Amino acid sequence: MAAATIACKVSVLLSLFSVWFVYVSSDSLPNVGAFPPTCQRIECPSYDLIQVGNGYEIRRYNSPVWISNTPIQDLSLVEATRTGFLRLFDYIQGKNNYKQKIEMTAPVISEVSPSDGPFCESSFVVSFYVPKENQANPPPAKGLQVQRWKTVYVAVRQFGGFVKDSEVGEQAAALKASIAGTKWGAAVEKSKSANHTSVYTVAQYNAPFEYDNRVNEIWFLFDIEDGEQTM
């Protein structure tokens, strides 16, 4: 009976997750300044807000730790994120070498390295943020790896609703346009080829069954050398 109950709950969760990626929400959201309600309930990585601009904000993340899938090759960000999420959900439910359960966190991030053509598979690295209490020794697991970011700057654009393949490229282009001609845009371009292999990252904060007040973000990761921040 207990096993049947657990199986039922998992089935419902996966069904809800499937809805997450096909449901189209009419949520509207300003491009900056929305605090994800999820982060009032579960742990999210902390950051320093450096600047709020026209359609973007600049953050500094101080050495967050992530548990990540190996790169997933797919035509669809939505499908790749779903695949990666399910592996990571199993991980936090105890399918790791320590058989240790880990608290849910936000956001789920997908680092995107687009293909060279419209009919070629892109590469996606899907990750969960590791809670602070587990960061010293995250449980290892087959097919997953720990990413320990150094201090990194991030240009951010927010958008609402459910993430759609047809929209993320437009949101990334809008973020690029909003920082063009700024020192942040120059820093992004400078560090893109040198240090960060992904072109952009999609951060999703909400559970599959949350239809309102959804917060998603496009991230451009970049580094700043000493003195550049105050230029």
Side-chain angles (χ1 to χ4, degrees), residues 63-76:
S63 305
V65 179
W66 307 86
I67 186 73
S68 305
N69 285 268
T70 54
I72 298 169
Q73 308 301 315
D74 206 304
L75 293 172
S76 167

Side-chain angles (χ1 to χ4, degrees), residues 18-190:
S18 297
V19 172
W20 184 10
F21 290 107
V22 298
Y23 179 84
V24 178
S25 172
S26 60
D27 284 358
S28 60
L29 184 75
N31 299 130
V32 296
F35 183 78
T38 305
C39 296
Q40 297 176 347
R41 304 189 303 270
I42 61 178
E43 186 177 343
C44 298
S46 60
Y47 61 85
D48 300 315
L49 182 60
I50 304 302
Q51 182 182 345
V52 176
N54 183 15
Y56 69 90
E57 62 185 44
I58 303 299
R59 303 173 182 169
R60 180 176 59 227
Y61 284 87
N62 298 304
S63 305
V65 179
W66 307 86
I67 186 73
S68 305
N69 285 268
T70 54
I72 298 169
Q73 308 301 315
D74 206 304
L75 293 172
S76 167
L77 163 76
V78 168
E79 289 304 319
T81 302
R82 183 178 187 275
T83 298
F85 175 90
L86 295 177
R87 295 175 184 171
L88 293 166
F89 181 77
D90 285 343
Y91 172 83
I92 67 172
Q93 289 299 302
K95 290 187 178 180
N96 53 65
N97 291 9
Y98 299 164
K99 301 187 184 304
Q100 179 182 0
K101 289 191 175 183
I102 297 172
E103 292 294 328
M104 179 70 79
T105 62
V108 176
I109 63 170
S110 300
E111 299 171 77
V112 184
S113 298
S115 65
D116 294 330
F119 303 109
C120 300
E121 292 182 333
S122 297
S123 179
F124 306 92
V125 176
V126 184
S127 307
F128 271 172
Y129 172 65
V130 177
K132 289 182 180 178
E133 69 172 321
N134 303 106
Q135 289 183 6
N137 186 26
K142 183 178 179 180
L144 301 178
Q145 57 191 12
V146 176
Q147 286 196 68
R148 295 186 181 274
W149 289 5
K150 61 181 181 180
T151 296
V152 65
Y153 289 79
V154 183
V156 179
R157 176 182 174 88
Q158 296 181 323
F159 61 102
F162 285 76
V163 171
K164 303 183 287 294
D165 288 321
S166 59
E167 182 179 13
V168 290
E170 296 174 0
Q171 294 289 345
L175 175 57
K176 183 176 181 179
S178 70
I179 61 174
T182 70
K183 63 183 179 183
W184 311 117
V188 167
E189 292 303 316
K190 181 178 179 180

